[in-house]
Amino acid sequence: MSTLIVFFSFEGNTKFISETIAKTMNADTMELKISKEYPKKGFGKYFWGGKSVIFGEKPELINDRIDLSRYETILIGTPVWAGSYSPPIKTFLEEYRIQGKRIALFASHGGGGAKKCFAKLKDALPGNEFIGEIALVEPKKNPEDSSNEVVKWAAELLMKE
Ligand SMILES: Cc1cc2nc3c(=O)[nH]c(=O)nc-3n(C[C@H](O)[C@H](O)[C@H](O)COP(=O)(O)O)c2cc1C
């Protein structure tokens, strides 16, 4: 069965999870990229990202279009931003209107909000089956334990196929 991993990562933690999953599963990967990047430093980093979530912005993606009909399972990964998922994921969900897939969710966060983030993602993905979720606190700070945890989770997902 073919699997796609779709994710956005601002500072590399969600990307770390995605890369660990991809080593465990045979999956294609799509890293969402936006035309206008958020500022990476100082106050602006939280301000622009937070504002973008609160105003429901959908930043333009520069990825090539992908044919989702080839995939039965889609893993969606995001950093938790302001207790929700990151705006590039919102753009992706609106552009593709995913239906009838098996979906697993993964997130990186700074200590809170993952539950809310997953609940909002599920609300935004009606008509799909949810097969798993995992949230880690900034895994790049703790790479060994984090990758063990992710590998175990991904292996359990594979058993569900
Ligand atoms: C704009 C912005 C908003 C954030 N909001 C939250 C939050 O609500 N809860 C939380 O635990 N962490 C929050 N964080 C921290 C990130 O979720 C955390 O650093 C995560 O590991 C980043 O993943 P990434 O490296 O893939 O971008 C926020 C970070 C940014 C930049």
Side-chain angles (χ1 to χ4, degrees), residues 10 38-55 57 81-82 87:
F10 184 49
Y38 297 103
K40 287 244 158 152
K41 287 202 177 117
F43 172 72
K45 169 175 145 181
Y46 294 99
F47 179 76
W48 290 108
K51 177 185 149 301
S52 187
V53 174
I54 289 158
F55 285 92
E57 288 176 4
W81 276 15

Side-chain angles (χ1 to χ4, degrees), residues 54-88:
I54 289 158
F55 285 92
E57 288 176 4
K58 285 171 274 167
E60 184 195 17
L61 302 178
I62 54 174
N63 301 78
D64 290 337
R65 201 144 171 105
I66 190 164
D67 177 10
L68 290 188
S69 68
R70 289 160 41 206
Y71 302 100
E72 280 164 354
T73 305
I74 303 177
L75 278 61
I76 300 174
T78 180
V80 174
W81 276 15
S84 189
Y85 51 91
S86 54

Side-chain angles (χ1 to χ4, degrees), residues 81-97:
W81 276 15
S84 189
Y85 51 91
S86 54
I89 297 287
K90 189 177 176 81
T91 311
F92 178 81
L93 297 181
E94 300 248 338
E95 280 184 6
Y96 286 89
R97 308 241 165 227

Side-chain angles (χ1 to χ4, degrees), residues 12-161:
N13 288 281
T14 312
K15 188 176 180 123
F16 176 96
I17 304 174
S18 167
E19 285 172 348
T20 309
I21 297 169
K23 279 186 216 153
T24 311
M25 293 182 158
N26 182 16
D28 293 340
T29 300
M30 180 183 191
E31 176 172 10
L32 300 181
K33 296 281 187 191
I34 50 182
S35 57
K36 189 170 171 280
E37 288 209 34
Y38 297 103
K40 287 244 158 152
K41 287 202 177 117
F43 172 72
K45 169 175 145 181
Y46 294 99
F47 179 76
W48 290 108
K51 177 185 149 301
S52 187
V53 174
I54 289 158
F55 285 92
E57 288 176 4
K58 285 171 274 167
E60 184 195 17
L61 302 178
I62 54 174
N63 301 78
D64 290 337
R65 201 144 171 105
I66 190 164
D67 177 10
L68 290 188
S69 68
R70 289 160 41 206
Y71 302 100
E72 280 164 354
T73 305
I74 303 177
L75 278 61
I76 300 174
T78 180
V80 174
W81 276 15
S84 189
Y85 51 91
S86 54
I89 297 287
K90 189 177 176 81
T91 311
F92 178 81
L93 297 181
E94 300 248 338
E95 280 184 6
Y96 286 89
R97 308 241 165 227
I98 299 169
Q99 290 272 310
K101 304 286 186 191
R102 290 152 35 96
I103 307 267
L105 304 174
F106 60 98
S108 176
H109 61 99
K115 254 196 169 162
K116 249 171 119 185
C117 167
F118 288 152
K120 286 180 183 169
L121 269 173
K122 287 178 185 168
D123 281 351
L125 282 158
N128 296 283
E129 181 196 353
F130 293 94
I131 59 168
E133 57 194 47
I134 189 171
L136 284 91
V137 176
E138 295 175 356
K140 283 204 305 183
K141 287 186 181 158
N142 193 1
E144 205 171 311
D145 287 350
S146 303
S147 68
N148 287 341
E149 196 180 332
V150 172
V151 165
K152 188 167 166 269
W153 177 78
E156 279 164 14
L157 275 188
L158 279 175
M159 311 259 281
K160 291 183 183 165
E161 280 191 358

